[in-house]
Amino acid sequence: MKLRIAIQKEGRLSEWSVDLLRQMGLRFDTYKRLLIAPCRNHDVDILFLRDDDIPEYVQDGIVDLGIVGDNVVNERAAKVDRLRPLGFGLCRLQIAVPQSGKIKTVKELNGMRIATTYPTILSSYLKKEGVKAELVPISGSVEITPSLNVADAICDLVSTGTTLTTHNLVPIATVMESEAALIANPERCKAADTGARIRDLVMRLDGVINARSKKYVMLNAPQSATEKIRDIMGGSKSPTIVPLADTGLVAVHAVVAEDEFWEKMEKLKSFGATDILVMNIEKMIV
Ligand code: PRT
Ligand code: ZN
């Protein structure tokens, strides 16, 4: 049987999800937004669904894997394994109130009305905070409810904060942080056949994720600086150091974390490094 992976059909996560699966080496068409796209080079079908349906489809085994926001998984209280966070679709579920109003803290929400499309997550948060508020579950455009006097506060996803500002709302609490994640059906992960194939895909995914934050650096340096260079180019493994035909020089190759990259470059130059080449890594299997 083929493995099935569900991704969002149309929305914020769609393009990222398609790109990621392609980087993992899966070849499939997205022509005219088919509902199911079979992979040409792998025993996998990609299903394009509304994001809200993905957690249940994974939980019920209709698909084996899914890519969806943590916010949706938690709201649906789906019993799935979260295999990997994916680093896109980053947002926060926040409670916000009218800027000019009296409410400034979560405790002051006692007895107030809060509009949200996330009633499950919000009610467990309020319970934990010991706040009794009236939830107003709605299906969209949460940000306009205070101005319509439908609610005193809202609980909605925020990424840049522009929507809140535009509607004169300010956040007073973060209920959860969220990002897209690869989720899986727990039984399929345990089963011998599907488990092995899921692990193969996760290994490919790790290769893509590891490569994203790393650069491959090649440089030439005086042989006398070899020890110092080895110390700072630790990277994932010790660097490769080979003597050059020119006596007294070595070539150094290493994988370096992107966020430490500039700091290391400065030091390497001060040790006499020249001809520094920095390359993107397509995949990195460690
Ligand atoms: O049709 P379907 O049901 O599949 O899509 P959808 O409309 O439910 O979801 P979509 O595509 O809007 O979002 C999919 C997922 O992206 C969400 O479940 C989150 O995991 C993630 N995500 C990341 C966001 C945002 N950032 C986000 N900013 N989802 C929604 N928003 C909305 C938010 O609701 C608010 O209206 O954007 C507005 C706020 O944005 P800022 O930038 O003004 O703060
Ligand atoms: Zn949705």
Side-chain angles (χ1 to χ4, degrees), residues 109 112-116 122 126 133-136 151-155:
L109 290 169
M112 298 291 167
R113 299 161 302 164
I114 313 176
T116 189
L122 179 59
L126 292 175
E134 182 196 333
L135 298 198
V136 184
D152 306 296
I154 67 162
C155 176

Side-chain angles (χ1 to χ4, degrees), residues 118-157:
Y118 292 90
T120 307
I121 301 175
L122 179 59
S123 51
S124 71
Y125 173 83
L126 292 175
K127 199 168 167 197
K128 203 179 72 209
E129 293 293 315
V131 171
K132 284 206 168 71
E134 182 196 333
L135 298 198
V136 184
I138 54 170
S139 57
S141 302
V142 182
E143 61 278 1
I144 61 166
T145 54
S147 64
L148 298 175
N149 197 21
V150 170
D152 306 296
I154 67 162
C155 176
D156 197 12
L157 296 176

Side-chain angles (χ1 to χ4, degrees), residues 2-205:
K2 282 185 169 186
L3 273 190
R4 291 175 140 194
I5 307 176
I7 63 173
Q8 193 187 21
K9 183 174 166 67
E10 206 165 355
R12 289 168 197 262
L13 307 182
S14 311
E15 213 175 305
W16 289 98
S17 306
V18 166
D19 286 353
L20 183 64
L21 295 177
R22 291 204 167 126
Q23 285 166 22
M24 286 162 61
L26 303 180
R27 300 277 162 263
F28 56 95
D29 278 333
T30 49
Y31 178 68
K32 283 194 177 164
R33 304 203 172 269
L34 305 158
L35 186 63
I36 300 188
C39 288
R40 286 194 292 278
N41 61 342
H42 215 278
D43 237 5
V44 169
D45 279 341
I46 314 292
L47 270 77
F48 300 90
L49 303 174
R50 284 205 59 192
D51 67 345
D52 312 69
D53 297 332
I54 294 176
E56 274 100 339
Y57 273 46
V58 173
Q59 171 186 283
D60 299 344
I62 296 165
V63 298
D64 306 280
L65 296 160
I67 295 179
V68 66
D70 293 324
N71 52 310
V72 182
V73 176
N74 288 11
E75 182 57 29
R76 300 278 157 165
K79 291 188 183 59
V80 297
D81 287 350
R82 183 183 191 259
L83 299 184
R84 293 290 184 276
L86 300 175
F88 60 85
L90 298 164
C91 55
R92 311 174 291 286
L93 184 63
Q94 291 192 310
I95 299 177
V97 294
Q99 202 165 13
S100 51
K102 287 200 206 95
I103 306 166
K104 302 286 175 213
T105 65
V106 172
K107 301 286 176 215
E108 291 165 307
L109 290 169
N110 255 314
M112 298 291 167
R113 299 161 302 164
I114 313 176
T116 189
T117 48
Y118 292 90
T120 307
I121 301 175
L122 179 59
S123 51
S124 71
Y125 173 83
L126 292 175
K127 199 168 167 197
K128 203 179 72 209
E129 293 293 315
V131 171
K132 284 206 168 71
E134 182 196 333
L135 298 198
V136 184
I138 54 170
S139 57
S141 302
V142 182
E143 61 278 1
I144 61 166
T145 54
S147 64
L148 298 175
N149 197 21
V150 170
D152 306 296
I154 67 162
C155 176
D156 197 12
L157 296 176
V158 177
S159 49
T160 61
T162 315
T163 305
L164 291 187
T165 312
T166 311
H167 292 85
N168 298 315
L169 298 166
V170 281
I172 56 166
T174 298
V175 174
M176 82 171 280
E177 307 266 352
S178 178
E179 67 184 281
L182 177 71
I183 59 168
N185 176 283
E187 275 72 47
R188 301 288 165 74
C189 288
K190 280 183 224 126
D193 170 41
T194 47
R197 286 152 70 202
I198 290 171
R199 280 192 295 280
D200 167 63
L201 287 175
V202 172
M203 191 189 71
R204 290 170 180 234
L205 172 64

